[in-house]
Amino acid sequence: MADSAQAQKLVYLVTGGCGFLGEHVVRMLLQREPRLHEIRVFDLHLGPWLEDLKTGPVQVTAIQGDVTQAQEVTAAVAGAHVVIHTAGLVDVFGRASPKTIHEVNVQGTQNVIEACVQTGTQFLVYTSSMEVVGPNTKGHPFYRGNEDTPYEAIHKHPYPRSKALAERLVLEANGRKVRGGLPLVTCALRPTGIYGEGHQIMRDFYRQGLRLGGRLFRAVPASVEHGRVYVGNVAWMHVLVAREMKQRAALMGGQVYFCYDASPYKSYEDFNMEFLGPCGLRLVGTRPLLPYWLLVLLAALNALLQWLLRPLLLYAPLLNPYTLAVANTTFTVSTNKAQRHFGYEPLFSWEDSRTRTILWVKATEGSAQ
Ligand SMILES: NC(=O)C1=CN([C@@H]2O[C@H](COP(=O)(O)OP(=O)(O)OC[C@H]3O[C@@H](n4cnc5c(N)ncnc54)[C@H](O)[C@@H]3O)[C@@H](O)[C@H]2O)C=CC1
Ligand SMILES: CC(C)[C@@H](O)CC[C@@H](C)[C@H]1CC[C@H]2[C@@H]3[C@H](O)CC4=CC(=O)CC[C@]4(C)[C@H]3CC[C@]12C
């Protein structure tokens, strides 16, 4: 919102502000949004690191709350100029029930929208996902696609379904009159697989490799490319959209934007090795060591075990029918819509993103070297 009132002191609310992406958004706002008066960090689980942010000139307000509780959301939104809604259950491993995923990701998003309308907050940025598009259940590749590329989006898994429903709510809310009579301006950002400092799945792969004597075993063909994007660039895109959407409401309102940077197109596993290799791990096999049908069988066995063990414990391995299917389907984006609409350029180069991620992985549990 680059307007003449540069001195205007703004109040931002970041839901999910203590999550992997959310923390980077909070820190990016503090570093690169000069008009901030207050940043409200709303999350079910508040991080201890928030206390360290309270020593600066910007008021940092930690709010422990649940997006499924409308009154808690309304109280947190009231008085905010901008809401960046990243909170969500990012679960493709069967940890949460489909009902809970829907309640958090869809009803929670509806609560945020209604809170903006009821309290007069005019700008809402929603963290959507590539999964709103695909990969679809037919395994159709999405190769170097953009926001306008035709693609048969078919969702059966609770997570992508919830993201698609929530994104539609956000885009349809664009233009609604908020309290005071001004129009609500909404945007949805679609990151591909986010990586970087704080990525728990990367940490899980690292730990798995350490347990296996410094080795990981290829399960996905190197030819299956997956788009990935550095968390710092995703955070930067959120900050930039929030800044520009007031001046460019007619152009940006109700739009979706893929999050992208210069991260290379590689298979999910080969991309992870860009970071895990320098930390001492080795990816065994130039092609999958097990035939696909056996991987399908093992994934199904994992799903069965999860169901059988659920009354006793949570068994949620990385390999399940959904993760195997997604990992084995090419999904890459090539677009410049964010650059054309609001001047986005990645803040972090591939080299910088890679170095930062490697340093983080090494710091998590020392190096395997
Ligand atoms: N991690 C990835 O590769 C991608 C993530 N996204 C989206 O980015 C957003 C953030 O994802 P991550 O940072 O990866 O996940 P995360 O799990 O690290 O962060 C989500 C945050 O939301 C909070 N949260 C969950 N349920 C809540 C509730 N009921 N009320 C309030 N807060 C709640 C969690 O405590 C957590 O801090 C999500 O909306 C996700 O769908 C989109 C594309 C890729
Ligand atoms: C066990 C092997 C088959 C291994 O390769 C499985 C990898 C698998 C855990 C990941 C492969 C693709 C990932 C997803 C993708 O990056 C898109 C996503 C978008 C989101 O909004 C949330 C995360 C995720 C679903 C991501 C999750 C992990 C993978 C399935």
Side-chain angles (χ1 to χ4, degrees):
M1 297 185 295
D3 57 23
S4 56
Q6 284 298 334
Q8 182 188 359
K9 288 301 179 189
L10 300 178
V11 178
Y12 274 60
L13 169 70
V14 181
T15 73
C18 293
F20 164 42
L21 172 61
E23 179 177 350
H24 285 269
V25 171
V26 169
R27 294 181 185 276
M28 186 69 72
L29 281 170
L30 291 170
Q31 291 162 14
R32 292 187 173 263
E33 182 41 78
R35 298 162 303 157
L36 260 184
H37 162 67
E38 177 189 9
I39 183 168
R40 299 172 183 169
V41 182
F42 182 94
D43 204 302
L44 204 56
H45 307 294
L46 295 176
W49 51 270
L50 279 172
E51 289 307 309
D52 301 336
L53 302 184
K54 296 186 175 182
T55 56
V58 177
Q59 181 184 336
V60 177
T61 308
I63 305 171
Q64 195 281 328
D66 185 342
V67 291
T68 66
Q69 302 305 306
Q71 71 283 1
E72 294 179 15
V73 176
T74 304
V77 169
H81 296 90
V82 181
V83 174
I84 298 179
H85 176 38
T86 82
L89 267 184
V90 185
D91 181 21
V92 292
F93 305 106
R95 298 189 181 107
S97 68
K99 178 174 178 291
T100 303
I101 290 171
H102 181 89
E103 283 170 352
V104 175
N105 294 354
V106 183
Q107 186 54 50
T109 299
Q110 186 61 43
N111 290 342
V112 169
I113 294 167
E114 292 310 322
C116 291
V117 170
Q118 288 169 25
T119 65
T121 296
Q122 226 196 318
F123 302 100
L124 171 59
V125 181
Y126 172 61
T127 311
S128 181
S129 169
M130 59 174 266
E131 292 241 317
V132 167
V133 176
N136 65 21
T137 52
K138 295 180 178 177
H140 294 160
F142 187 81
Y143 182 77
R144 307 283 201 276
N146 61 44
E147 291 85 352
D148 300 316
T149 302
Y151 186 80
E152 190 182 7
I154 313 166
H155 306 301
K156 289 180 179 164
H157 193 279
Y159 173 74
R161 280 178 60 81
S162 72
K163 295 302 288 184
L165 289 170
E167 180 187 282
R168 188 189 307 162
L169 290 172
V170 168
L171 301 181
E172 288 174 350
N174 183 64
R176 281 183 62 180
K177 292 289 184 285
V178 303
R179 182 178 177 183
L182 294 173
L184 178 63
V185 184
T186 69
C187 281
L189 301 184
R190 292 172 174 170
T192 52
I194 307 175
Y195 70 94
E197 305 94 305
H199 188 210
Q200 297 311 306
I201 295 175
M202 184 75 69
R203 188 206 57 191
D204 294 345
F205 274 113
Y206 183 48
R207 287 176 171 168
Q208 188 180 67
L210 292 177
R211 285 196 300 270
L212 296 171
R215 294 169 301 178
L216 289 170
F217 301 93
R218 185 185 295 277
V220 176
S223 59
V224 177
E225 293 182 345
H226 249 252
R228 305 290 288 275
V229 61
Y230 177 60
V231 65
N233 288 322
V234 179
W236 171 234
M237 193 181 280
H238 280 74
V239 170
L240 204 54
V241 161
R243 183 187 298 170
E244 295 300 326
M245 65 199 299
K246 179 170 186 175
Q247 296 289 91
R248 307 178 190 214
L251 174 66
M252 297 172 64
Q255 292 294 322
V256 297
Y257 300 96
F258 276 118
C259 299
Y260 62 91
D261 58 20
S263 300
Y265 299 119
K266 286 177 178 259
S267 78
Y268 195 84
E269 293 169 332
D270 287 301
F271 191 88
N272 288 349
M273 290 312 294
E274 287 285 344
F275 319 106
L276 302 179
C279 293
L281 298 194
R282 183 167 63 89
L283 182 61
V284 177
T286 54
R287 56 174 184 266
L289 298 181
L290 298 177
Y292 187 67
W293 66 266
L294 186 51
L295 285 167
V296 169
L297 193 62
L298 290 172
L301 185 61
N302 276 341
L304 177 62
L305 277 173
Q306 180 179 75
W307 181 76
L308 291 172
L309 294 172
R310 194 174 288 275
L312 304 171
L313 55 90
L314 176 61
Y315 174 66
L318 286 173
L319 176 65
N320 66 47
Y322 184 75
T323 62
L324 181 63
V326 173
N328 273 279
T329 307
T330 286
F331 195 103
T332 52
V333 299
S334 175
T335 180
N336 64 356
K337 183 177 178 183
Q339 194 280 327
R340 286 183 286 111
H341 278 212
F342 53 91
Y344 165 76
E345 293 294 347
L347 204 54
F348 301 89
S349 67
W350 157 238
E351 293 71 23
D352 197 7
S353 306
R354 180 173 181 269
T355 300
R356 289 166 180 262
T357 305
I358 289 170
L359 291 175
W360 174 75
V361 174
K362 284 184 174 176
T364 50
E365 295 180 49
S367 166
Q369 283 171 335

